[in-house]
Amino acid sequence: MGDKKSFYLTTPIYYVNDAPHIGHAYTTVAGDVLTRWHRQKGEAVWFLTGTDEHGQKVLNTAQANKVAPQQWCDNLVESSWKPVWRDLNIANDDFIRTTESRHMERVQRFLQGLKDDGFIYAGKFEGPYCIGCEEFKLPGDLDEGKCRIHSKPVEMLSEENWFFKLSAFREELLNHYKKNPEACQPASARNEVISFLEGEVRDLSISRSTFDWGIPVPWDTKQVIYVWFDALLNYATAVGLGDDADSEGGKKFAKTWPADVHLVGKDILRFHAVIWPAMLMAAKVAIPKKIFAHGWLLVGGEKMSKSKLTGIAPSDITKDFGVDAFRYYFLRAIPFGTDGSFSWEDMSARYTSELANDFGNLASRLIAMIEKYCENTIPAVATEASLAKQLAETVKSADEAICALDFQGGINSIMDFCKRINGYVTETEPWKVAKDPARKAELDLILYNTADALRALAVLLHPVMPESTEKLWESLGANTSIGSIAEQKISEVAKWGQLPAGSKVTKTPVLFPRLEENK
RNA sequence: GGCGGGGUAGCUCAGCUUGGUAGAGCAAGCGGCUCAUAAUCGCUGUGUCGUGGGUUCAAAUCCCGCCUCCGCUACCA
């Protein structure tokens, strides 16, 4: 630990316009699994999530609900967002809100710095403005020059704004992404960023004067900082951006920055892959090592959305399947980086086949046999070389895959090992061996190998399914014999024979109960 | 419109760079087993590879056209 840099991972900070749905949870769970994995590799880790609370939309929503914007945010954060992450077993180290003073002060200082260095200038923002909506519209929001909401022609209005010299960094960004393929993944995302940068890049208006829910521009307090400029900075303000090197914030910053991975949905890729690093380049701060854009969850072939009634709350799923199955399903079923379709049928099928039948049932049969044939006690340590070899290969490929954010590949290889153990038990037929007292040693050997394989499976699956693997861990008596599951190291897990003989095994309720018929 | 990606077994997808009898998992059927959550293990079938042409001894794979779905084409987050 000590002064070594932490593996620093962030999720986007979510816009507090509404309650979280499974799309938000997908990103956060992925971040949680990756950071738990790195922790079990023995690395120092810092995992940040949070909420984005400024901007016109939040203001409008708050006003529509007749509450002050700050109160709106407070309510939503405390009653919706934080509880969801707690319920999903998200082990974030920090939670930042953009309305916190630690954030706002650092943002103002950062912006002032850019201004002092000549990267900010006064300019005119011009765009189609709808009087009815009281806001600027995007070209895509218009139907033949009319606002879609009010069906009235929009006016071209201009507003005096502060601009950031984004264009000055086009070349440098382009070179960066061309030279460093791992800086933006998957490849499809990187290609989009590169093709964007190969076109014309214009400067960015970074302040707004038509509403006041935001961080004031330090030298022009009639304007607030554009919400994206404000929001992106959270990743750095949360760990002490700009603080004196020997202050607490400065030390934290030195230990975390630059971020190792920013997880984002592909819809916000450009903000993270273009604007954000340009801001940092201007301030002469190191840029993040990797932007990873994952895909969308599709429901019935369409992007999930609340307006189309396809928005699903995490609790809709966890109440039937449990938190672990939720965490497992999305990472196992969908290649991270491509869109994936969610369906209750697929969710149920995988739950039953992979979790209940393959994994949960393997634990059941082992525990039952130890109980029946070995008086609840783990027998003498033994080693089946072929299993040990396969475990070593499993750990290697799972580690490579997960560190490369290929969750599907990683989980797959772990579950393949699980299947192999089911096969081992069936082939060695311990229930037959048990009938012959002369074959007691053989029986012990089979059951020991199976138990130690389950020990490894519990550790490997712990980052994905912390709750059920913990149950299995306790059931194997490993808690008292070799310590807590979270402390087990990935690098050690393949060492065969760690479960000590004599550990007391206890029967627990099934890990993944069968689903009710009518689901 | 321009650029990019996809359309392969009932379902989810791999294969296409480097042409040569079409693959995996799940679901389904059959058999084994009974330690286990009617579970597990083994075996089996499954396809005009979107469509029309072309190149070739040979094309899911290469070339051209077409149909269809999706993404990007900047300042709502």
Side-chain angles (χ1 to χ4, degrees), chain A residues 48-80:
Chain A
L48 175 73
T49 189
T51 44
D52 181 10
E53 310 189 1
H54 290 128
Q56 181 134 40
K57 282 202 174 173
V58 169
L59 179 63
N60 290 350
T61 309
Q63 284 170 345
N65 287 277
K66 297 191 166 53
V67 293
Q70 183 67 60
Q71 202 197 330
W72 170 259
C73 295
D74 291 349
N75 287 344
L76 215 50
V77 167
E78 293 305 324
S79 68
S80 296

Side-chain angles (χ1 to χ4, degrees), chain A residues 391-464:
Chain A
L391 174 60
E393 287 162 2
T394 297
V395 173
K396 184 170 182 287
S397 65
D399 186 43
E400 281 171 6
I402 289 174
C403 289
L405 286 87
D406 174 12
F407 299 104
Q408 183 184 58
I411 294 172
N412 250 332
S413 43
I414 298 169
M415 293 307 280
D416 281 348
F417 181 69
C418 179
K419 288 186 179 189
R420 177 77 274 278
I421 302 305
N422 266 319
Y424 171 77
V425 174
T426 303
E427 287 154 20
T428 52
E429 302 180 311
W431 51 91
K432 279 189 184 165
V433 178
K435 285 178 182 156
D436 182 354
R439 298 173 74 189
K440 174 66 171 146
E442 186 185 348
L443 174 67
D444 284 355
L445 181 142
I446 295 166
L447 294 183
Y448 183 84
N449 282 318
T450 307
D452 206 50
L454 269 164
R455 178 219 100 228
L457 278 170
V459 173
L460 292 169
L461 289 170
H462 187 245
V464 182

Side-chain angles (χ1 to χ4, degrees), chain A residues 119-191:
Chain A
F119 291 107
I120 304 292
Y121 64 91
K124 249 185 202 160
F125 178 76
E126 208 167 30
Y129 186 91
C130 172
I131 307 282
C133 301
E134 294 183 24
E135 65 180 12
F136 285 95
K137 291 290 172 183
L138 301 174
D141 288 337
L142 301 177
D143 264 343
E144 294 171 3
K146 292 180 181 176
C147 164
R148 282 198 189 138
I149 298 164
H150 295 88
S151 298
K152 284 181 191 161
V154 291
E155 295 178 30
M156 286 306 282
L157 278 191
S158 67
E159 152 180 341
E160 292 291 333
N161 283 156
W162 296 97
F163 279 71
F164 168 57
K165 284 190 184 170
L166 181 63
S167 59
F169 301 95
R170 189 187 76 95
E171 196 86 18
E172 194 178 343
L173 286 166
L174 192 53
N175 287 337
H176 170 64
Y177 288 117
K178 281 189 170 170
K179 274 188 210 147
N180 304 291
E182 76 293 339
C184 184
Q185 293 180 321
S188 54
R190 174 170 165 256
N191 291 340

Side-chain angles (χ1 to χ4, degrees), chain A residues 275-290:
Chain A
I275 299 175
W276 174 226
M279 287 162 62
L280 293 167
M281 285 170 173
K284 299 185 177 55
V285 174
I287 63 176
K289 294 184 193 166
K290 187 194 296 296

Side-chain angles (χ1 to χ4, degrees), chain A residues 363-409:
Chain A
S364 285
R365 55 200 307 216
L366 182 266
I367 302 292
M369 286 190 283
I370 298 269
E371 192 174 46
K372 217 173 266 189
Y373 308 139
C374 307
E375 298 166 327
N376 292 318
T377 306
I378 299 286
V381 175
T383 304
E384 167 58 52
S386 68
L387 295 185
K389 180 164 175 279
Q390 186 165 353
L391 174 60
E393 287 162 2
T394 297
V395 173
K396 184 170 182 287
S397 65
D399 186 43
E400 281 171 6
I402 289 174
C403 289
L405 286 87
D406 174 12
F407 299 104
Q408 183 184 58

